[in-house]
């Protein structure tokens, strides 16, 4: 009888030990595991945050012009891919395809013809400006200038231009530009304004 009672006591001990382990040890460890998992999730969020996006409008020589949403940090080349790629006549070389996109950015892909026309126009403008510069750099020769050319000088009107020519004819030509101050109506102040635009050549 004592033998069976002893076995029952031992069995009850193991049962109580199992209950204690489940409710105290196992439950506590489970909670610790849950806390650890939640912490790991927060760490993952910090290491891999939700990616932001940018919305761009791409048009011109692309197959599907329109508004596209791309991941922040994307490049212009990514925008072209999103728009279906370039048309055959596109001129992407005028753009920096490696440049990062920004939100609300408009990207225009020109055609080769547009680039050629723009280049031609720029050359024409440069040529016109150069021609104007050359003309402005040319000094007026007091011994050769016509009345019309003399009126291009600051402060010299038609009457003063005629007076300069009359003086030139009476004197047989100018030997120095300072002689202009001897003409009535042209004083030192006016001479200072025009001296950089005039010269005296051979008579």
């Amino acid at each position: 009888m004592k033998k069976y009672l002893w076995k029952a006591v031992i069995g009850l001990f193991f049962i109580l030990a199992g209950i204690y382990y489940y409710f105290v040890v196992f439950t506590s460890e489970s909670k610790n595991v849950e806390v650890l998992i939640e912490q790991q999730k927060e760490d993952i969020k910090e290491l891999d945050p939700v990616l932001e996006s940018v919305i761009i409008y791409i048009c011109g020589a692309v197959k599907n012009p329109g508004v596209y949403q791309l991941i922040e940090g994307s490049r212009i080349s990514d925008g072209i891919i999103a728009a279906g790629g370039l048309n055959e006549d596109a001129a992407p070389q005028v753009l920096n395809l490696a440049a990062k996109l920004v939100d609300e950015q408009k990207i225009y892909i020109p055609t080769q013809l547009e680039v050629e026309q723009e280049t031609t126009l720029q050359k024409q403008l440069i040529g016109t400006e150069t021609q104007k510069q050359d003309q402005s750099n040319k000094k007026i020769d007091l011994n050769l200038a016509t009345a019309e050319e003399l009126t291009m000088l600051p402060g010299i009107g038609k009457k003063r231009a005629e007076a300069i020519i009359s003086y030139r004819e009476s004197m047989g030509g100018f030997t120095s530009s300072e002689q202009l101050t001897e003409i009535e109506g042209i004083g030192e102040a006016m001479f200072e304004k025009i001296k950089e635009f005039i010269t005296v050549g051979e008579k």
Side-chain angles (χ1 to χ4, degrees), residues 6 22 30-31 38-39 50 59 76 90 115 121 132 189 194:
W6 176 249
Y22 178 81
S30 297
K31 289 182 179 180
E38 290 300 319
Q39 184 62 45
V50 177
C59 55
I76 290 181
V115 172
L121 179 60
K132 288 181 179 179
I194 65 176

Side-chain angles (χ1 to χ4, degrees), residues 83-96:
L86 298 169
N87 292 338
E88 292 182 359
D89 61 344
Q93 70 273 11
V94 300
L95 299 174
N96 179 8

